[in-house]
Structures are given as structure tokens and as C-alpha cells.
Amino acid sequence: MILRPSADSHRVIGKYTGKILVGLGLLMLVPLICSLVYQEWSVALDFTISFSLCMVVGFGAQAFFRTERDLTWSEGLVVAAGSWIWAVLLAAIPYYLSGHMGSYLDACFDAMSGFTTTGLFVLQDLDHLSNGMNVWRHVLTYTGGQGIVVIALTFLFKGTAGAYKMYVGEGKDERLLPNVVQTARAIWLVSIVYLVIGTAALFVVNLWLGMSPARGFILAAQQFMGAWSTGGFAPMSYNGMYYHSLAAELIIIAIAIAGSFNFALHWAVWTGKRKEIFKNIETITFSISLICLTSVAMWGLIKMGVYEDSLSLARKAFYIIASGHSGTGLTVIYNRSFVTMWGPIAMIATIIVMIIGGSACSTAGGLKVFRVGIFVKSILADVKRSMLPESAVLKVKYHHVKDSYLTDKLSKSVAMIITLFLITYLSSGFLGVLYGYDFTQALFEGVSALSTCGLSCGVTTPAMPDGMKVAYILYMWLGRLEFLSIFAVGGYLYSVLRGR
Amino acid sequence: METKGPFPHRVKTANKKQSFPSLTAGENWGKYLAGLATEIFFGLGLCLIALIIATILLAMMR
């Protein structure tokens, strides 16, 4: 028998969601201040309206849903997944008011793309977007990478048992420190140190490229946020091609690769265990698949005769494949070049790396290299087991921060998640075909949305059918939070409607 | 009358070590920056491997 959630359950969900929306409102102060600095008065007004709405909804929810009870597991998951929907609806308001969006749905598309660090966008006339609005796009993607709940945990919570349940609901399940609030703060510490150093490095490159200090700085900050959060938003429509700089590309791709690492790995390396990076199952799987699939893409590109010399070949192929693998989605080629120049081999290699994705408990999406590594180890173990005597016991070890043994339970859960993802990836290809797109192109774009990557072969445009926009919004949400939280929301809604 | 639980002092110390200010304590910054440099050089190392592979593949296929 399914039990209908109690009134107290609604109250606790409402209260915590309200807290998270207050956090979102506070985030809007960043672009608001930026637009005031750049004297963009109408943009500042847009953000004032949006900030006020967040505060009214956030504090209103906390005042209306008063309770002292802490969250249960299912409620924590519902808060995490549900607050992303509320946050997108509110974060889309300044987008919509900017006049650069065709509709409110388009604004929600870009807001979801930002929060989930995807990087696909349907915003029009990007090159003439205000500084305030461009900063908002990048702040969304930077904070979305860490997680909306992580932000709220860092600044707005004193620490409750329910905090961990929301943290898990947001697709992160590893504690860097014993306390979940301090784990959230450690995640922010890593991100902010990277922000300062990465922005400074890109600022120097921008100055060297001849930009004024003000423009060089704001572009550097945006470039960094797009790369570190594996977000893929770029301040200019030419994306990485705008800079024509090998130095900028190297810094950006190194930041993007680091951004796709597990925060638990960052913390281990940062606290002295530097060898961890060479023996962790995630970095090993990532490196092997990155090098192998870059080689495949290069082979395809050489066959197509696209690039003449090894530097151009390595520069383009590695940048795109690493960008796809880390889930960043920054690019140094035109979107349609995937179809018109790169050819099927390089395009399929790009699809595969987007499917594999980055590390668990990171800003990246996709299946996650941890699962792929465990999946491969499980297959190899089964092959080995079949060759051993029946009485033999085979223990398979893997290393992720500490040594662990592969269990049947872990192998099964990994296989289940991989199956669910692969079915959803295929569905995205068929959905595109239903709307009249070529299957490979639709699959490329759908995989990019579901893996929260952001590389595009030209399917995502403002003219894309609304049905596909809604589907991609759901794919991005699903890809970022993974299935657990979404199932929890589905279960919650079902129990509200059908429970007794 | 003694009302404290077991090992009160140790628990208090452990909590203190995990608190936010200790994350940013001065003695940790050297380790943090060395860790950051390790990660960046790891990424740049992968770039270098890609360049070597591109050179070899181009030489082989032409």
C-alpha cells in the first residue's frame, strides 16, 4: 500500500526548498553588481526584479511551511530534484527579461543548460549580450557545477542530518570530510582557489592577446567558469575560436580536465596524496579512454584529410575529444563542422566520449568513468572466473581514494545505471528522428544534452521544435541529477495522487 | 557529580580540526597549491601524449 505524504512532509519539503531559493536569489547579486558597475541600468532592473521574486518565494515558503522536523531520505531527494526545477523557473526570469530569448521556454532551456553545466543554448545574438547577463550565464554554470544544494549547504545551513540527504540527491555521494556541510565548504574551497588561479592565468593570456584589462578580466573569469564547471558556455558566439590562441586553449582544456575530476580525488591530491591521481580508477579510465578515442578521432580526421600538420590535428582533435569527455562542450570548430568536415568516425568517437563522461561527484555528466571502469573490471573478472576452477575465489580490487574490493552488488548497480542511461540515450536519437532530424545528428545532440556536455552539431537552435526543447530540458535535468532523485520525485508525485 | 560522556576532550578536538577555518589555515596552502599544480600538469601531460600520437599517426598514414 502506498501512503500519501503527510502535511508535515509537504511542510519540510517546502521549507528546505525555500532555503535553497533564497540561496539562488543571493547569487543574483553577482550579475546585479556587475551590471551596476558597467552602468547597464535596464539589466540591473531585470536582476532586481528577479532577486526580489526569489526572496519573496524563498522566504515566503519558509514562513508558510513552518516545521522543526528534519528531512527523511525520500524528502531530501525530492527537495534536491524539485529545487532544481524551481530554481530554473526563477533563474530563467532575467534571461526572459533580457529580450534575447524567443520565449519563456527558451529562457528555461538556457537556465537548465547553465545549472546542469550542459552549455547548449538557444539564446539569440550572444555577441551583443550585456555584461551582466553574460556574467549570470557563467555564474549559473559555475555554481550549477558545484550544485545548488552545495551552495545552500555552504552558506545557509548550520548542519542537519537532512543536509546529507539533499547532497546525495544532487548526484554527489562522497564525503570529503566527515561532516557534509564541511564537505560542501571543501568543494567550494577547491573551486574558489581554481577560480582565482585560472582566471589570473587566462587574464594574462588575454592581455597578451591585446585586450584591455577590463575586457581581458571579465572574459577570463567567464572562460574559467565555462571550463571549470565543465559547462561549455562561452561569452562569444565563436566560442574557443574567438581567441585563436594555443596558450588559451591549453589552459582551458587543462582546467576542464581538472574540473571533471572527482572532488574526493581533488581533496586527496590537495591534502598530500599526490600519487592518487596516477592510481585512481577514475583517472586511469579517463586517461585510457581519452587517449584511445582521441587516436580514433585523429585517424578519422586524417582519412578525411581535414588537418594538414600534426599540431593542428592534435590541437583540434584533442580539444574536442577532451571537451566532450570532460563534459565541457567548449569547442574550437563550428557546430556544423562535425557533420560537414569531421566525418562519421570522428563524430562517433565524440559521441562515445560524451557518453562515458567525467568522474562521479564532479561537475561532469555522462555514465561516469568510475562506472565504466567498474563495468570493464566486472567483465574481465567474469572472463577470469570462467577460466578458473569452480572452487576458486576471485577477489578483484580497485583503487578510488582507498583500496576496495569489487562486489556483485556494486557490479549490478553499475550495470543497471548504465542500461538506464543507454536506453535514454537511444530514445534521444529516436526522438530527433520523429521530428525529422538525421539519427546520428539527433543522437549526437541528445547524448550531449543527457551527458550535460554541450557540444552541438547544429540541431540545437532557437528554431528547434518546442517538444525537443522540453525533452532536452528533461534530459539535462536527468543527466545532472541521475535517476535516483528523479525517481524519488516521480514516486512522491504518485503517492500524492494515488496514496491513501 | 560527573555528567560528561566518554572522551569529551577528544571529541571536541576532532570537531575543531574539521571546522571551516582549519580548511584555510596557513600551513595547508602549500599542499593545496602543489595538489593543484599536479592536476594541471596531469592534464597538460595528456595534451603532450595527444601531440605525439598525432605526429606518429600522420607519419604512418601518409
Side-chain angles (χ1 to χ4, degrees):
Chain A
M1 187 178 70
I2 296 165
L3 293 176
R4 192 190 294 268
S6 65
D8 210 28
S9 185
H10 295 311
R11 274 197 290 273
V12 76
I13 289 171
K15 176 186 153 185
Y16 279 90
T17 305
K19 279 180 184 255
I20 290 169
L21 295 181
V22 169
L24 175 72
L26 295 175
L27 267 187
M28 288 187 183
L29 292 176
V30 178
L32 176 59
I33 292 167
C34 176
S35 47
L36 289 174
V37 168
Y38 280 93
Q39 300 180 348
E40 296 167 342
W41 308 121
S42 61
V43 182
L45 182 63
D46 294 347
F47 281 106
T48 308
I49 294 168
S50 309
F51 167 79
S52 309
L53 266 171
C54 283
M55 290 298 149
V56 168
V57 175
F59 282 117
Q62 288 180 64
F64 188 73
F65 299 108
R66 278 176 185 274
T67 178
E68 292 304 313
R69 187 161 76 76
D70 211 347
L71 289 160
T72 62
W73 265 107
S74 60
E75 288 162 357
L77 297 177
V78 171
V79 169
S83 58
W84 276 67
I85 295 291
W86 288 108
V88 163
L89 293 173
L90 289 167
I93 293 170
Y95 270 104
Y96 184 61
L97 295 176
S98 73
H100 283 261
M101 311 303 301
S103 64
Y104 185 66
L105 178 64
D106 287 8
C108 289
F109 185 97
D110 274 34
M112 182 60 94
S113 179
F115 268 134
T116 55
T117 73
T118 305
L120 292 170
F121 68 96
V122 290
L123 183 139
Q124 297 170 32
D125 198 14
L126 175 60
D127 294 333
H128 296 101
L129 194 64
S130 61
N131 286 305
M133 200 51 223
N134 231 337
V135 163
W136 179 230
R137 294 172 76 226
H138 289 87
V139 165
L140 267 190
T141 200
Y142 180 66
T143 50
Q146 291 22 279
I148 303 169
V149 169
V150 170
I151 301 166
L153 285 177
T154 310
F155 300 111
L156 302 175
F157 288 76
K158 283 178 186 160
T160 64
Y164 182 62
K165 293 153 191 167
M166 290 191 294
Y167 175 75
V168 171
E170 207 171 42
K172 292 185 169 67
D173 55 359
E174 295 193 45
R175 293 193 196 202
L176 281 52
L177 292 163
N179 179 315
V180 68
V181 174
Q182 284 162 17
T183 292
R185 287 175 180 166
I187 286 175
W188 272 101
L189 176 75
V190 172
S191 297
I192 289 171
V193 172
Y194 258 104
L195 172 70
V196 172
I197 292 178
T199 304
L202 289 164
F203 175 60
V204 171
V205 172
N206 287 348
L207 287 182
W208 181 60
L209 290 173
M211 293 184 199
S212 68
R215 180 157 177 75
F217 176 75
I218 199 160
L219 281 188
Q222 292 170 1
Q223 283 170 289
F224 169 81
M225 289 183 203
W228 167 254
S229 63
T230 66
F233 278 155
M236 308 303 293
S237 62
Y238 280 96
N239 211 301
M241 290 175 287
Y242 179 75
Y243 306 96
H244 278 297
S245 163
L246 178 63
E249 286 170 23
L250 282 173
I251 294 171
I252 284 173
I253 214 65
I255 291 170
I257 289 173
S260 76
F261 289 162
N262 193 316
F263 278 108
L265 173 73
H266 281 300
W267 197 243
V269 173
W270 281 41
T271 47
K273 296 178 192 162
R274 283 192 283 283
K275 284 183 184 162
E276 179 66 28
I277 202 166
F278 301 106
K279 55 184 185 179
N280 191 294
I281 185 171
E282 292 190 315
T283 43
I284 292 171
T285 311
F286 181 85
S287 306
I288 292 172
S289 56
L290 176 63
I291 293 302
C292 290
L293 286 154
T294 302
S295 306
V296 171
M298 285 176 181
W299 175 60
L301 291 169
I302 294 170
K303 281 188 84 172
M304 296 288 289
V306 184
Y307 302 111
E308 293 291 314
D309 60 293
S310 56
L311 183 61
S312 307
L313 177 67
R315 198 170 156 181
K316 300 286 182 187
F318 184 77
Y319 192 99
I320 297 292
I321 296 292
S323 173
H325 207 330
S326 60
T328 309
L330 290 169
T331 180
V332 281
I333 60 170
Y334 296 104
N335 289 347
R336 289 303 292 168
S337 298
F338 280 112
V339 181
T340 58
M341 281 172 64
W342 270 43
I345 297 172
M347 204 166 160
I348 288 168
T350 313
I351 292 176
I352 295 171
V353 287
M354 288 197 290
I355 288 175
I356 298 172
S359 298
C361 193
S362 74
T363 64
L367 291 177
K368 307 284 165 59
V369 280
F370 177 76
R371 292 196 185 109
V372 174
I374 291 294
F375 187 67
V376 172
K377 270 191 175 278
S378 303
I379 291 172
L380 293 177
D382 276 351
V383 172
K384 248 188 207 173
R385 207 168 280 136
S386 68
M387 292 189 291
L388 291 171
E390 269 185 38
S391 56
V393 178
L394 182 68
K395 287 267 184 190
V396 181
K397 229 196 248 182
Y398 66 92
H399 183 87
H400 174 57
V401 184
K402 62 181 193 301
D403 282 336
S404 307
Y405 285 100
L406 187 64
T407 60
D408 281 349
K409 191 182 166 193
L410 178 64
S411 300
K412 274 182 193 165
S413 79
V414 162
M416 190 186 76
I417 298 274
I418 288 180
T419 309
L420 283 171
F421 261 108
L422 291 180
I423 292 169
T424 322
Y425 282 129
L426 273 180
S427 77
S428 71
F430 290 120
L431 177 81
V433 172
L434 283 178
Y435 279 99
Y437 291 94
D438 169 76
F439 179 76
T440 316
Q441 292 179 36
L443 184 68
F444 186 101
E445 210 80 4
V447 165
S448 181
L450 188 57
S451 295
T452 69
C453 178
L455 286 174
S456 171
C457 64
V459 172
T460 303
T461 63
M464 187 167 69
D466 284 350
M468 282 188 64
K469 284 177 189 166
V470 172
Y472 282 9
I473 288 173
L474 293 175
Y475 283 147
M476 291 187 272
W477 184 49
L478 185 64
R480 178 65 176 81
L481 298 186
E482 300 202 338
F483 292 91
L484 184 64
S485 298
I486 311 300
F487 286 165
V489 171
Y492 180 78
L493 292 175
Y494 185 79
S495 61
V496 167
L497 294 173
R498 303 295 297 270
R500 292 181 192 175
Chain B
M1 193 174 71
E2 184 62 70
T3 56
K4 287 180 182 175
F7 312 119
H9 182 68
R10 285 176 65 183
V11 170
K12 199 175 174 185
T13 311
N15 284 338
K16 196 176 174 186
K17 274 185 181 167
Q18 292 151 13
S19 64
F20 188 48
S22 71
L23 292 177
T24 52
E27 66 267 21
N28 292 333
W29 284 101
K31 276 187 189 173
Y32 292 165
L33 294 176
L36 185 147
T38 307
E39 291 173 354
I40 291 294
F41 281 115
F42 184 82
L44 293 176
L46 291 173
C47 298
L48 185 64
I49 294 171
L51 179 62
I52 294 167
I53 291 172
T55 312
I56 295 170
L57 277 177
L58 265 175
M60 278 169 55
M61 292 178 71
R62 278 195 177 158

